[in-house]
Amino acid sequence: MVEKRPVTVTVNGQVRQAEVEPRRTLADFLREDLNLPGTHLGCEHGVCGNCTVLLDGQSVRACLMFAVQADGHEILTVEGLVAPNGDLHPLQEAFWEHHALQCGFCTPAMLLTAYEYLQQHPVPGSDEEIREAIGGVLCRCTGYQNIVTAIRAAATKLTAAGPAPASRSVAD
Amino acid sequence: MAEPATTRPKWIGQSMKRVEDPRFLRGKGRYIDDIRLPNMAVAAILRSPHAHARIVRIDTSAAERLPGVYAVVTGQDVRARMAPLPTFAVGPIYQDLLAVEKVRHVGEAVAAVVAENRYIAEDACELIEVEYEPLPPVVDPFAAMEPGAPLVHEALGSNVAYQRTFTFGDFDRDFNEADHIVRAKLRWPRSSGMPMETNGAIGDYDEGTGILTIYANSMNFTYFQWLIATSLKIPASKLRVVPINAGGSFGSKFFMHKVPTLAGFLSMVAGRPVKFVEDRIDHILNNDHCGSDRYYDVALAVDRDGTMRALQIKVVDDYGAYLQFGTGTHGNALAQVVGPYRIPSVQYELTAVLTNKNQQGAYRGFGSEVNNWVLERMVDFAARELGLDPVAIRRKNFIRPEQFPYRTPTGNIYDSGNYEGVLDKALALAEYDRWVAERERARQEGRYLGIGIVTAQERSVFSSTEFWFWFDQPGFPVTSSPESATVTIDPTGKFIVTLHSLAFWGNSPETVATQVVAEQFDIDPADVVVTYAASQRALPGTGPGGSRFTVMVTGALVGASGRLKEKIKKIAAHRLEVSPEDLEFHQGSVRVKGSPERALTLSEIALSAYMFKLDLPEDVESGLEASYTFDHPYTTLPSPDRKDLGVFYPFMGHACHIAVVEVDPETGQFTWHKYAAVADAGTVVNPMTLDGHLTGGTAQGLGTALYEEYVYDDRGQMLTASFMDYLVPTAMEVPRIDIDHQETPSPYTPYGIKGAGEGGRMMAPGVITAALEDALAPLGVRITELPITPAKLVRWIAEAKARGQAPTA
Ligand code: FES
Ligand code: FES
């Protein structure tokens, strides 16, 4: 067995430390070592995007990264979208309201991808642009239409709510 | 069984937000791979690199020596301790959990490693040495039928597992009398449900009690639990299957048993809990369920005026190496073989062939979606050849509203329908006339704009006869396909509903149950909790499949509610000193009709039912719980001569889809102008989730039409074993879909509901094909195979041009 290496990451605002094998993927590290099973594995070869998490605010495929590569970085997973008091994030509310999930397996990745998109585009562009933004995450259930609707609805709510969504930092 | 309320429903028909959602939104879905038991090990599988080979020798010693490995298992261990896997096939076509003696397709499981974690398990797989003696593979189903072809199953003596011709109605007369015969050879290739979550299970064998617990994301477990027990050679009473939320199925987890059986077996061997979850490559190579893989030779007999007279279908279906699910996928086709049309007679010849590929099973539509595509192709060809309008020929042949219930030539009944109503709504929704004018203009400008239309069926609620009516002497002529529900009111007056199959795969069983119970008792849906029984406590259930669950579970819930309401009324009548008939349920209480102030809340009644026996009528037991098992409400046996297959799929939904596209003939790429869909699924329980099925199913059908195919090369190697090569549509490929509904209730089901879970996949391949073909009509392109890739389109355009087809309008 290969020697383990220490990894320190900030996940959903909490500093987490662990010793991992260099070959351990970020996805397995999050799911199994940190007990955060919301990051899902659909292919483990970098295509389906279902394992998407945000690394320093940028979407990455957690199946294509090693945990050791995340050392010193900040990670947001779906578990971190929920407010500390347990309230759902406006994006999660909108997904619920507009039936943007069926089996829910792609949902964490869709939510984080949408979150990143709205950070960059608080006022979303055309439906085509939203579709392009989520084009890296496969969903087999919904046909995507309600996801597009939900993202637009969440954006409206977030911009109406005053401070831009960017104020909701990874750590809040 | 209690009558559904006759007043206008309060909760049925509402777009209620799904009660399932919060756990998934939070990333707390508890899918199978999220579950970890103490002391649990993980398995990985070594798979065959050969399509067809004899296993000469397996050396597992190096793998066993790897630190962290707990057990290595091969086909020999399986043969020694287990029976073959369950199958609907008749004849010596046996399948073992791990290959014994020979492998029959690339990806077949050869050995399994149980280890501390998946990394070590996969390392160990690489240390297993297998010596194979390659055999000539048989890949093409027509070559497989040739004399002297290598045999997939030697004991069968042939690669033809099944062949028979069925004739329904006066076929010869109708066929010979018709003015014109439309003929086509059509090809529908293999694809599959491809849920984002793969199949998985955890086995947990308790040596102390001898009870094996299997956690699995497999549907229908109450239906097959005892079959797995038989394979594992343990008493069924000692096998407990616990249902786990499935992250999508679309058929892929229907009666899915290889994975649970494997996890159970490995747990018994390793003496600790063992998890096996397929990775994507495991899933593509060796899942239980690939979709249909068919070659058609079809003839539609029509009169000059477009009247359809007879339909002849000869189909060769490439089932792959095993025939686990029999030929039931053609039973599905026969349920609605004539579509929405008055075609009086049918001849259907099925040849089921075995080849060195993974096995076929279920994919959303279960083989009837293929028949929809074939029939709608034939109708379009007929319109073209007779010079008729594609809408007019459909309208002319529709079964008319007053003809229901309508007996089709195969014997299956269509319960109700109004096909012209759906058609007219769809034409309006799609702005059909406007697009017809637009197409004219486009053609004058030399642009290739096309309109497709399909009007097709979605049968719902299967009866199990379709799995065996193929045989005069079926091995196991099962006729049950029940669903059960239990409704409990706890001592505080809150509701708990227990479902008895793994009903969740992305559909809304908990929301449906909540809506029905809220309707039945006139209570707040927030007071209902839904749970799932494990198999040892489960009542008969069949699970979701064949668009059956909403109809069947509603029947069970209405039945259980009726029983419980009777008991509540008895208790309330006793306490209020009135007769039970004078009571009604109103907003969480039971009150005396006409004097609403005389009432008891459900919590008051519940408390007395659990805690105050002396306040109850003498013959009333303590507690508030009732169960009901709902059997298929309308099914009959096939006739002995099989000229009449009986009623086996009678709740007939219908839809019309219309698509408008524009093709660039240089690149074979196209753009969407419109996609409109109108569906009739009887009474709608939840419009929002129904639209979800329709949209999602359409996206899947689009994948089938344009992108998805399991490609095997001529050596039987799998060329599409990853998402790099097997293309699932992304948000960029799926167009916006406009939806409308019509409700023609079923006279035979609770509330008049029809199933609609297979949704858009029944229609989308047909309409997309038709639209693309129509766009290229001026070039004379005729589309007879899927998927329609840009490269193929460019080739067909070139071929059509080479044929020297003069442009026609
Ligand atoms: S699991 Fe990472 S991209 Fe599919
Ligand atoms: S909701 Fe099932 S994969 Fe997206």
Side-chain angles (χ1 to χ4, degrees), chain B residues 214-230:
Chain B
I214 299 178
Y215 304 80
N217 58 12
S218 174
M219 316 275 120
N220 327 71
F221 71 94
T222 21
Y223 210 50
F224 71 62
Q225 176 268 0
W226 60 281
L227 290 170
I228 292 192
T230 309

Side-chain angles (χ1 to χ4, degrees), chain A residues 101-106 139-142, chain B residues 196:
Chain A
L101 64 154
Q102 291 184 25
C103 80
F105 200 75
C106 72
C139 171
R140 191 57 158 168
C141 299
T142 63
Chain B
M196 284 301 111

Side-chain angles (χ1 to χ4, degrees), chain B residues 497-787:
Chain B
V497 174
T498 307
L499 304 179
H500 298 269
S501 6
L502 167 53
F504 182 85
W505 58 267
N507 54 336
S508 329
E510 298 163 34
T511 307
V512 169
T514 302
Q515 286 180 272
V516 172
V517 169
E519 190 72 53
Q520 284 287 319
F521 290 90
D522 194 12
I523 53 161
D524 183 348
D527 286 343
V528 183
V529 166
V530 182
T531 64
Y532 299 87
S535 66
Q536 277 179 325
R537 296 267 301 134
L539 299 168
T542 316
S547 294
R548 67 182 295 285
F549 196 75
T550 300
V551 171
M552 294 300 290
V553 83
T554 301
L557 288 162
V558 169
S561 300
R563 285 179 175 161
L564 195 53
K565 286 201 281 192
E566 218 172 286
K567 180 168 183 178
I568 291 170
K569 280 188 177 178
K570 209 165 169 182
I571 296 171
H574 182 74
R575 296 219 2 221
L576 294 168
E577 295 178 330
V578 292
S579 103
E581 297 82 66
D582 295 332
L583 294 171
E584 63 183 4
F585 285 79
H586 179 76
Q587 293 181 1
S589 64
V590 179
R591 66 183 187 183
V592 178
K593 289 179 198 161
S595 37
E597 71 293 345
R598 296 186 61 203
L600 289 169
T601 64
L602 286 179
S603 14
E604 287 171 321
I605 295 170
L607 200 63
S608 62
Y610 281 92
M611 297 292 162
F612 299 94
K613 171 66 184 150
L614 296 181
D615 290 350
L616 304 181
E618 223 167 277
D619 60 341
V620 167
E621 294 169 40
S622 291
L624 271 187
E625 177 170 293
S627 295
Y628 192 93
T629 298
F630 185 65
D631 281 300
H632 195 298
Y634 188 11
T635 171
T636 63
L637 284 173
S639 68
D641 62 6
R642 301 297 190 261
K643 286 190 188 317
D644 174 354
L645 300 176
V647 180
F648 60 101
Y649 237 136
F651 314 130
M652 194 55 66
H654 178 79
C656 176
H657 287 210
I658 296 175
V660 185
V661 300
E662 187 165 339
V663 182
D664 175 348
E666 298 301 317
T667 63
Q669 302 283 353
F670 72 92
T671 48
W672 294 99
H673 287 307
K674 189 86 185 169
Y675 195 109
V678 176
D680 186 342
T683 303
V684 176
V685 179
N686 186 322
M688 183 172 77
T689 60
L690 180 62
D691 289 358
H693 279 306
L694 215 160
T695 313
T698 298
Q700 274 184 326
L702 180 145
T704 308
L706 300 172
Y707 305 109
E708 297 178 35
E709 182 177 6
Y710 279 135
V711 182
Y712 289 87
D713 72 6
D714 57 6
R715 303 295 301 160
Q717 281 301 329
M718 218 310 163
L719 303 182
T720 51
S722 81
F723 279 159
M724 252 88 85
D725 303 302
Y726 188 95
L727 303 178
V728 172
T730 75
M732 314 267 289
E733 283 85 44
V734 182
R736 189 194 151 69
I737 297 161
D738 297 324
I739 297 175
D740 197 1
H741 293 283
Q742 176 177 275
E743 296 187 55
T744 310
S746 173
Y748 307 116
T749 66
Y751 297 106
I753 301 165
K754 297 179 185 182
E758 286 149 298
R761 190 167 182 269
M762 308 293 292
M763 324 294 160
V767 76
I768 293 168
T769 310
L772 289 168
E773 183 178 88
D774 186 55
L776 298 173
L779 299 170
V781 170
R782 187 169 132 120
I783 302 181
T784 55
E785 67 171 74
L786 301 181

